[in-house]
Every structure is written in structure tokens, then in C-alpha cells.
Amino acid sequence: MSQIKPQTPPPSTSHVLLSYPAPYVLLVTINRERAMNSIPFAGHTEMGEVFDWFDREPNLRVAIITGAGKKAFCAGQDLIELGKIRSKEVKMSPALMRHPLSGFGGISRRMGKKPIIAAVNGFALGGGFEIVLGCDMVVAAPSATFGLPEALRGIFAGAGGPARLVRNVGIPIASEMALTGVPITAQRAKELNLVNRISPSQDTVVDEAIKLANSIANISPDAAIVTRAALREAWETGSVERATQLTIERYNEALNSGENALEGLKAFAEKRKPSWKPSKL
């Protein structure tokens, strides 16, 4: 475990486990293995609070999301709970039956500030795949699968996944996945650039994600925030020049006048490792 712990207390959680496997790294584990790590409505609210806290916490720079066990990353919405609500067996206020603004699991529609890596340990279906599509990078176990089975159930993947899938792989592949509901393998996902890397084994998927997270945690936290913002802006707007303009307008002065930009240049000149300060952006 890392010695650098958060400065502020995390939200209390009952659906996810929080741990700190390396300096500046938050690991969020969906802890509902018996329910295939499907997420009930209260779980979405909780996860939204966790990732809002992550963005504010000075001692955290990158997060990893994974699922408990070896079978499922996340099977999507808890359909058992949903069935009980629809059949009136369980009464729930409509106000509590919503995802946070950041989407399914607090990730699928998240803009946020800091990067999240998906460590996909098993199947990522429906909202689970929409979480993956909302992450910045993806490490998959060899046995991982990805799919949008909603249409097979007579419903629609409404947490932002289809639009992001089109952005990443184009209309033909996105249409096949969303309209047939047939999942794809980790290898196929990598061929389609939906996955950065496949771990050597099922057991090493989180370790591989931590290696990737460490590479990000080592750079200036200011640079990570601004670089990510530029990448996401291009993805969202679809205009490479407008994305660049918006990022410069929003961040350029604060980034370049900040202590981390000065430290990075000094460390380079002095041939030493930089000592980064928590981001104030």
C-alpha cells in the first residue's frame, strides 16, 4: 500500500470498495460479485460522489475502476431491483431512480478533471460497457467481453454509451454491437481500439492498470488535467481546432503561471526528478 493517503475523508460507501494501491492512485472496486457487479440506483449516487471526491482530493491523480471476482466487471443496471420496482414490490421515489449527472456508475457521461482507467476483469455489459466507454484508458483481462444487450431486452442503452461507441469505432461497428446485442472479445476490442492493452492473465489485470496509472501519476498533476481536458474536448466537440482553442482559453494562463510548470522546467534543466505539488486547477 502507498504511504501517500488522501488529505480529505472519502464518502462512505457500501456498493464499492476504495483502496490506494500506489502513490496518488485510487482503486474503486464494484463489490457486488454475487449480483455480477450490477449496480442498483443507490450505487450510482454513491459512485458519483466517489468520483466527485476523487477530482477534488489533492493527493489523488488517477483512478482505476474494476469489479470484484473473476467473472464480471459490471453487468449493468441491477435488473432484479428494477423488476421489483416495476412490479410495485418495492416502492422507490422517482427522484432516487436517476443516475448522477456523470452518468452510469458516475462515469459513463463524466467530464471530470482527472483520468480513470478501466481494469475490465470479466464481462462489461450494458451500463458496464458504458462505464468502460466513459473511461480514459482500458486494460482488459484475456477473458473480458464487451456488449450492449439492451435492444435484446426491448430497451435502449441510455447512459451515453452508443454515442461514445460511434465516436470510437464508427457507425458500422457501433450499429452491429448495439442492434444485435452480440458481445465482442477482449482481442476484438483491442483491434477496434476500445482497449489499450490485454493483461497477461486474469489475475494481473489490476496490476497492469496500476502500471499504467503509475505512469500518469508520475507526471505533473496540472499537465495531466489540462492534457486530458484537450483530449476530451476534441472527443466531445469533434472539432480539433475548436477543442484546442477551448483548452487554451480555459487553462493556458493558469497552467503556465503555476508552480508545477516552473518545477518541471527547473527539474529538466537540473537533470533531476521533479517534485510536483497538488494541482490547484
Side-chain angles (χ1 to χ4, degrees):
M1 296 293 280
S2 66
Q3 298 304 307
I4 300 167
K5 294 293 175 68
Q7 292 181 17
T8 57
S12 61
T13 61
S14 58
H15 301 87
V16 297
L17 299 175
L18 306 183
S19 57
Y20 312 96
Y24 309 110
V25 178
L26 169 67
L27 175 61
V28 179
T29 304
I30 306 169
N31 192 33
R32 305 189 75 240
E33 186 178 356
R34 289 179 63 186
M36 299 300 168
N37 295 322
S38 61
I39 304 174
F41 285 109
H44 296 294
T45 303
E46 179 180 294
M47 291 173 73
E49 290 171 352
V50 164
F51 290 110
D52 285 348
W53 166 75
F54 159 68
D55 271 341
R56 295 191 306 268
E57 168 50 49
N59 276 352
L60 293 174
R61 299 178 185 173
V62 57
I64 299 167
I65 176 84
T66 194
K70 296 186 177 183
K71 191 168 185 182
F73 169 77
C74 173
Q77 184 69 32
D78 183 347
L79 297 182
I80 303 299
E81 178 191 60
L82 193 61
K84 289 178 178 177
I85 293 166
R86 296 247 169 109
S87 67
K88 306 284 194 298
E89 186 181 332
V90 170
K91 288 188 177 178
M92 185 178 285
S93 163
L96 299 176
M97 293 173 59
R98 292 182 181 148
H99 299 153
L101 290 175
S102 48
F104 198 96
I107 296 178
S108 73
R109 296 174 66 190
R110 170 184 179 266
M111 191 64 183
K113 282 202 315 183
K114 302 175 186 175
I116 301 176
I117 300 168
V120 185
N121 56 301
F123 53 73
L125 300 176
F129 185 30
E130 292 183 284
I131 286 176
V132 173
L133 289 164
C135 287
D136 298 277
M137 284 156 276
V138 184
V139 178
S143 59
T145 55
F146 306 83
L148 293 171
E150 281 85 349
L152 300 176
R153 317 277 181 262
I155 56 178
F156 161 68
R164 286 163 175 80
L165 188 60
V166 169
R167 271 277 193 269
N168 288 355
V169 303
I171 277 280
I173 300 292
S175 296
E176 181 178 346
M177 289 190 70
L179 291 173
T180 68
V182 176
I184 60 171
T185 63
Q187 189 58 48
R188 180 63 174 145
K190 190 167 186 299
E191 290 167 5
L192 292 169
N193 291 333
L194 289 169
V195 165
N196 293 70
R197 59 190 68 167
I198 298 173
S199 62
S201 70
Q202 165 81 46
D203 294 329
T204 56
V205 65
V206 172
D207 292 337
E208 286 294 311
I210 292 169
K211 285 182 195 172
L212 190 54
N214 285 336
S215 299
I216 299 159
N218 283 335
I219 72 168
S220 158
D222 291 347
I225 288 169
V226 177
T227 301
R228 178 185 181 275
L231 295 167
R232 303 290 286 204
E233 199 68 62
W235 194 48
E236 287 285 349
T237 62
S239 166
V240 292
E241 185 50 37
R242 187 67 185 129
T244 305
Q245 292 167 358
L246 289 169
T247 305
I248 288 172
E249 286 168 14
R250 181 178 175 190
Y251 283 117
N252 197 54
E253 186 178 348
L255 174 68
N256 290 322
S257 63
E259 54 191 344
N260 282 324
L262 180 62
E263 168 63 9
L265 295 172
K266 281 180 68 177
F268 177 75
E270 295 167 9
K271 295 183 170 60
R272 61 173 173 82
K273 189 177 178 183
S275 177
W276 305 121
K277 300 291 190 291
S279 176
K280 295 184 173 67
L281 296 180

